[in-house]
Coordinates of all heavy atoms in Angstrom, one line a residue:
S1 N -4.1 -12.8 -4.2 CA -3.0 -11.9 -4.4 C -3.1 -10.8 -3.3 O -4.1 -10.2 -3.2 CB -3.1 -11.2 -5.8 OG -2.9 -12.1 -6.8
P2 N -2.0 -10.6 -2.6 CA -1.9 -9.4 -1.8 C -2.0 -8.2 -2.6 O -1.5 -8.2 -3.8 CB -0.5 -9.6 -1.1 CG -0.1 -11.0 -1.2 CD -0.8 -11.4 -2.5
M3 N -2.6 -7.2 -2.1 CA -2.8 -5.9 -2.9 C -2.3 -4.7 -2.0 O -2.2 -4.8 -0.8 CB -4.3 -5.7 -3.2 CG -4.9 -6.7 -4.0 SD -4.2 -6.8 -5.7 CE -4.8 -5.2 -6.3
G4 N -1.9 -3.7 -2.7 CA -1.4 -2.5 -2.0 C -1.7 -1.2 -2.7 O -2.1 -1.2 -3.9
W5 N -1.6 -0.2 -2.0 CA -1.7 1.2 -2.5 C -0.4 2.0 -2.2 O 0.1 1.9 -1.2 CB -2.9 2.0 -1.9 CG -4.2 1.5 -2.3 CD1 -5.1 0.6 -1.7 CD2 -5.0 2.0 -3.5 NE1 -6.2 0.4 -2.5 CE2 -6.2 1.3 -3.5 CE3 -4.7 2.9 -4.5 CZ2 -7.2 1.5 -4.5 CZ3 -5.6 3.1 -5.6 CH2 -6.8 2.4 -5.5
F6 N 0.0 2.7 -3.2 CA 1.1 3.6 -3.1 C 0.7 4.9 -3.6 O -0.3 5.1 -4.3 CB 2.3 3.0 -3.9 CG 2.9 1.8 -3.4 CD1 2.3 0.5 -3.5 CD2 4.2 1.8 -2.8 CE1 2.8 -0.6 -3.0 CE2 4.7 0.6 -2.3 CZ 4.1 -0.6 -2.4
R7 N 1.6 5.9 -3.4 CA 1.3 7.3 -3.9 C 2.6 8.0 -4.3 O 3.7 7.7 -3.6 CB 0.5 8.1 -2.9 CG 1.2 8.4 -1.7 CD 0.2 9.2 -0.7 NE 0.9 9.5 0.5 CZ 0.3 10.1 1.6 NH1 -1.0 10.2 1.6 NH2 1.0 10.4 2.7
Q8 N 2.5 8.9 -5.2 CA 3.6 9.7 -5.6 C 3.3 11.1 -5.8 O 2.4 11.5 -6.6 CB 4.3 9.1 -6.8 CG 5.6 9.8 -7.2 CD 6.3 9.1 -8.3 OE1 5.7 8.3 -9.1 NE2 7.7 9.3 -8.4
A9 N 3.9 12.0 -5.0 CA 3.7 13.4 -5.1 C 4.7 14.0 -6.0 O 5.8 13.4 -6.2 CB 3.7 14.1 -3.7
P10 N 4.4 15.2 -6.6 CA 5.4 15.8 -7.6 C 6.7 16.0 -6.9 O 6.8 16.5 -5.7 CB 4.7 17.2 -7.9 CG 3.3 16.9 -7.7 CD 3.1 16.0 -6.6
G11 N 7.8 15.6 -7.6 CA 9.2 15.8 -7.0 C 9.5 14.8 -5.9 O 10.6 14.9 -5.4
K12 N 8.7 13.9 -5.6 CA 9.0 12.9 -4.6 C 9.0 11.5 -5.1 O 8.4 11.2 -6.1 CB 8.0 13.0 -3.4 CG 8.1 14.4 -2.7 CD 7.2 14.4 -1.4 CE 7.3 15.7 -0.7 NZ 6.5 15.7 0.6
E13 N 9.5 10.6 -4.4 CA 9.6 9.2 -4.8 C 8.2 8.6 -4.4 O 7.5 9.0 -3.5 CB 10.7 8.4 -4.1 CG 12.1 8.9 -4.6 CD 13.2 8.0 -4.0 OE1 12.8 7.1 -3.2 OE2 14.3 8.1 -4.5
R14 N 7.9 7.5 -5.1 CA 6.6 6.8 -4.8 C 6.8 6.2 -3.4 O 7.9 5.6 -3.1 CB 6.4 5.8 -5.8 CG 5.0 5.1 -5.7 CD 4.5 4.5 -7.0 NE 5.4 3.5 -7.6 CZ 5.2 3.0 -8.8 NH1 4.2 3.3 -9.5 NH2 6.1 2.1 -9.2
E15 N 5.7 6.2 -2.6 CA 5.8 5.7 -1.3 C 4.6 4.8 -1.0 O 3.5 4.9 -1.5 CB 5.8 6.9 -0.2 CG 4.5 7.7 -0.2 CD 4.5 8.8 0.9 OE1 5.5 8.9 1.6 OE2 3.5 9.5 1.0
F16 N 4.8 3.9 0.0 CA 3.9 2.9 0.4 C 2.7 3.6 1.2 O 3.0 4.6 2.0 CB 4.5 1.9 1.3 CG 3.6 1.0 2.0 CD1 2.9 0.0 1.4 CD2 3.3 1.3 3.3 CE1 2.0 -0.8 2.1 CE2 2.4 0.4 4.1 CZ 1.8 -0.6 3.4
V17 N 1.5 3.2 1.0 CA 0.4 3.8 1.7 C -0.3 2.7 2.6 O -0.5 2.9 3.8 CB -0.7 4.4 0.8 CG1 -1.9 4.9 1.5 CG2 -0.1 5.5 0.0
A18 N -0.7 1.6 1.9 CA -1.5 0.6 2.6 C -1.4 -0.7 1.9 O -1.1 -0.8 0.7 CB -2.9 1.0 2.8
A19 N -1.5 -1.8 2.6 CA -1.5 -3.2 2.1 C -2.5 -4.1 2.7 O -2.9 -3.8 3.9 CB -0.1 -3.7 2.2
I20 N -2.9 -5.1 2.0 CA -3.9 -6.0 2.5 C -3.6 -7.4 2.0 O -3.2 -7.6 0.8 CB -5.3 -5.6 2.1 CG1 -6.4 -6.4 2.8 CG2 -5.5 -5.6 0.6 CD1 -7.8 -5.9 2.7
S21 N -3.7 -8.4 2.9 CA -3.5 -9.8 2.4 C -4.7 -10.3 1.6 O -5.8 -9.6 1.6 CB -3.3 -10.7 3.7 OG -4.5 -10.6 4.5
W22 N -4.6 -11.4 1.0 CA -5.7 -11.8 0.0 C -6.9 -12.1 0.8 O -8.0 -12.0 0.3 CB -5.2 -12.9 -1.0 CG -4.9 -14.2 -0.4 CD1 -3.6 -14.8 -0.3 CD2 -5.8 -15.2 0.1 NE1 -3.7 -16.0 0.1 CE2 -5.0 -16.4 0.4 CE3 -7.2 -15.3 0.2 CZ2 -5.6 -17.5 0.9 CZ3 -7.7 -16.5 0.7 CH2 -6.9 -17.6 1.1
S23 N -6.8 -12.6 2.0 CA -7.9 -13.0 2.8 C -8.6 -11.7 3.4 O -9.8 -11.8 3.9 CB -7.5 -13.9 3.9 OG -6.7 -13.3 4.8
G24 N -7.8 -10.6 3.5 CA -8.4 -9.4 4.1 C -8.1 -9.5 5.6 O -8.4 -8.5 6.3
V25 N -7.5 -10.5 6.1 CA -7.3 -10.6 7.6 C -6.3 -9.7 8.0 O -6.4 -9.1 9.1 CB -6.9 -12.1 7.9 CG1 -6.3 -12.2 9.4 CG2 -8.0 -13.0 7.7
N26 N -5.2 -9.5 7.3 CA -4.2 -8.6 7.7 C -4.1 -7.3 6.8 O -4.2 -7.4 5.5 CB -2.8 -9.3 7.6 CG -2.7 -10.2 8.8 OD1 -3.2 -10.1 9.8 ND2 -1.8 -11.2 8.6
T27 N -3.9 -6.2 7.4 CA -3.7 -4.9 6.7 C -2.6 -4.2 7.4 O -2.2 -4.5 8.6 CB -5.0 -4.0 6.8 OG1 -5.3 -3.8 8.2 CG2 -6.1 -4.6 6.1
Y28 N -2.0 -3.3 6.7 CA -0.8 -2.5 7.2 C -0.9 -1.2 6.5 O -1.2 -1.0 5.4 CB 0.4 -3.3 6.9 CG 1.6 -2.7 7.6 CD1 2.0 -3.0 8.9 CD2 2.5 -1.8 6.9 CE1 3.1 -2.5 9.6 CE2 3.6 -1.2 7.6 CZ 3.8 -1.6 8.9 OH 4.9 -1.1 9.5
Y29 N -0.5 -0.1 7.4 CA -0.6 1.2 6.9 C 0.7 2.0 7.2 O 1.4 1.7 8.2 CB -1.7 2.0 7.6 CG -3.1 1.4 7.3 CD1 -3.6 0.4 8.2 CD2 -3.8 1.7 6.2 CE1 -4.8 -0.2 7.9 CE2 -5.1 1.2 6.0 CZ -5.6 0.2 6.8 OH -6.8 -0.4 6.6

C-alpha cells in the first residue's frame, strides 16, 4: 500500500505533506 502523511492547522484545510510507494523506491514531498 502506498502511504502518505497529511496535516491540518487550525482554520485551514488538510494539506498533503509526503508520500511513499509501497516499495519505498519513490517518495514525494
Side-chain angles (χ1 to χ4, degrees):
S1 296
M3 298 292 294
W5 285 95
F6 290 75
R7 67 186 181 186
Q8 187 169 22
K12 296 187 177 181
E13 293 188 354
R14 190 157 56 184
E15 65 175 2
F16 168 78
V17 175
I20 188 167
S21 62
W22 65 253
S23 68
V25 167
N26 284 337
T27 58
Y28 190 81
Y29 299 90

